[in-house]
Amino acid sequence: MSYAEVGGLRIWYEEHGAGKPLVLLHGEYGSTETFAPVRPALATRRRLIAVDLQGHGRTADVDRPLRYESMADDVAGLLRHLGLPRADVLGYSLGGGVALRTAIQHPDLVRRLVLVSTPFRRRGWYPETLAAMSAHDERVAQRMRGTPLHERYARVAPRPQDWQALWARGGELLRREYDWSAEVAALPMPVLLVFADADEIPVSHAAEFFGLLGGGRRDAGGDGTGRPASRLAVLPGLTHYDVLTSPALPAAVLPFLTHPARAPG
């Protein structure tokens, strides 16, 4: 557990387990602790590198806006700092957006990509979710004081007083439009998409995402030769809020990371 100086950001990361490296990127207002429920299962097979993104957890904010693109560069810088030529990357929600941008901007560094509850365009979220995210500001942050999310932040953040500023910056990020469909279709590595069946993202968007990766276009055939390099998992009985607590997540992730797969074609 340590800090790394990466492009002007003092970024916190911690390591667990052994094996090939797997980077874990948390969701909005979260931290490395987000993955505590599934970390033991993942660590049995992988060297986990859990990261606190800009302004989150133990990583203090810096004088720049929150952007998926710049946080992706942070992740790439950390991998280079650690001397890792390639790693698997798993991101959840906001961290999924960062993971996706890391794969787009630094494809040479990402061996396989796992995106949990992550859309490829902003309007992939349900309209009511978009409305709630658009309202994130300092007033909402004030109302969130005393919640488990705030208590965890206050316990580990270098500057707990930045809580409201984080929500203001987070809201500004979440209101920005994006559509990465063309870049997703060009990804060179296998991708696993994981969604809850009652997620904040409709299953129809998950299917469209899978289609961009070459999935859902034809029968794989009896010998499976028509199977795409990428995979889609819709986990039953779960939501956006508890998908990271379920043993179904590592059960889907670990076979994808270890099973031989041809490059997308």
Side-chain angles (χ1 to χ4, degrees):
M1 301 183 183
S2 185
Y3 282 101
E5 300 290 337
V6 176
L9 182 69
R10 189 166 182 260
I11 191 167
W12 171 265
Y13 70 97
E14 54 190 65
E15 300 193 44
H16 306 268
K20 291 182 179 178
L22 171 62
V23 177
L24 303 179
L25 303 176
H26 59 77
E28 184 78 5
Y29 315 119
S31 64
T32 59
E33 285 85 354
T34 300
F35 292 98
V38 296
R39 188 170 58 209
L42 294 174
T44 62
R45 303 280 292 277
R46 313 296 288 191
R47 171 190 173 189
L48 305 181
I49 303 168
V51 179
D52 279 345
L53 297 168
Q54 176 191 341
H56 293 75
R58 294 169 176 82
T59 300
D61 207 353
V62 290
D63 187 19
R64 72 177 192 196
L66 280 181
R67 294 289 184 271
Y68 293 109
E69 293 82 359
S70 56
M71 289 187 283
D73 288 341
D74 295 337
V75 173
L78 177 61
L79 290 176
R80 294 186 178 111
H81 172 85
L82 295 174
L84 296 173
R86 296 184 85 197
D88 298 323
V89 181
L90 183 157
Y92 161 70
S93 197
L94 169 81
V98 177
L100 179 52
R101 287 307 312 179
T102 303
I104 290 169
Q105 295 165 211
H106 306 277
D108 56 313
L109 293 177
V110 180
R111 191 186 77 99
R112 296 192 186 185
L113 177 65
V114 181
L115 303 176
V116 182
S117 296
T118 304
F120 66 85
R121 67 165 69 96
R122 180 176 179 270
R123 296 191 179 273
W125 302 95
Y126 279 115
E128 58 269 29
T129 300
L130 281 176
M133 292 192 304
S134 296
H136 287 190
D137 59 15
E138 293 186 354
R139 292 170 297 179
V140 175
Q142 184 63 30
R143 294 198 296 270
M144 291 295 291
R145 287 184 177 275
T147 64
L149 197 64
H150 172 252
E151 289 175 352
R152 183 166 57 193
Y153 176 86
R155 186 169 62 250
V156 303
R159 298 194 301 264
Q161 65 270 24
D162 287 351
W163 173 248
Q164 290 182 230
L166 174 61
W167 277 74
R169 287 196 172 207
E172 196 271 335
L173 169 65
L174 296 173
R175 287 187 288 272
R176 292 177 63 86
E177 291 291 341
Y178 63 88
D179 185 336
W180 301 326
S181 53
E183 293 158 300
V184 165
L187 286 173
M189 74 288 294
V191 182
L192 170 63
L193 303 176
V194 183
F195 295 89
D197 63 351
D199 216 309
E200 291 190 333
I201 300 158
V203 175
S204 58
H205 183 84
E208 185 180 1
F209 203 155
F210 192 43
L212 291 173
L213 298 166
R217 297 179 180 176
R218 61 185 180 273
D219 177 16
D223 59 0
T225 55
R227 180 191 302 278
S230 295
R231 297 183 179 182
L232 169 64
V234 179
L235 304 183
L238 298 171
T239 72
H240 190 79
Y241 301 98
D242 63 7
V243 67
L244 285 186
T245 69
S246 173
L249 180 61
V253 169
L254 288 172
F256 169 75
L257 295 179
T258 57
H259 192 276
R262 61 177 177 80

